[in-house]
Amino acid sequence: PQQNLMRDAVLQVLDELGAGGRPMITVYNKADRLTDQSGLRELVANTPNSCYFSAAKADGIPYLMDRIVDTLKELLVPIRLLVPYDRSDLVAQCYEFGRVIKAEYQEDGIRVDAAVTRDMAGRMAEYRIKAKANHGISTHFDPGLVTNPEQNR
């Protein structure tokens, strides 16, 4: 009961701040203080996008990291671009604000497979590579293939 009141209060404040409706992770802290771990597991299983955590014992960090990575992945859309060399700043933005899966420097420009925010994908629409019949260009790739963000730098 108290948990529901606390959650409702947090959601109300987020709405007042204009942050309502954003992706959210529910983290149950102080997991080390519970004697009934099965109740905690049931609570996490019944709460979307949630995990447990104990700051005192650093327990649950892998679960929290998984939730963060999965939530961030949901915010990104895959794009395939051919960026002219004089607009290489767009490639830098893909690295800074998204995840670059592959970048190939070719004669006609920089071919980039990336996962970026919807807003950024819209700004880069003119450089998108469209699938063309008989040219063998595929626009499908999995942005989740690279799980370590440090591999993209």
Side-chain angles (χ1 to χ4, degrees), residues 20-34:
R22 305 280 175 130
M24 182 171 48
I25 301 170
T26 302
V27 180
Y28 296 101
N29 192 14
K30 302 188 187 295
D32 58 302
R33 292 188 179 183
L34 293 176

Side-chain angles (χ1 to χ4, degrees), residues 73 99 101 141-148 151:
K73 279 183 185 178
R99 297 177 56 207
I101 309 304
F141 70 96
D142 181 2
L145 289 175
V146 179
T147 56
N148 182 352
Q151 290 176 342

Side-chain angles (χ1 to χ4, degrees), residues 25 49-51 62-72:
I25 301 170
N49 206 24
S50 65
C51 65
Y63 303 118
L64 178 58
M65 296 303 293
D66 287 346
R67 291 290 87 228
I68 291 169
V69 168
D70 289 346
T71 301
L72 290 174

Side-chain angles (χ1 to χ4, degrees), residues 82-100:
L82 177 59
V83 180
Y85 284 105
D86 65 347
R87 290 305 319 266
S88 63
D89 60 299
L90 296 175
V91 178
Q93 288 179 32
C94 288
Y95 277 102
E96 188 171 351
F97 300 112
R99 297 177 56 207
V100 173

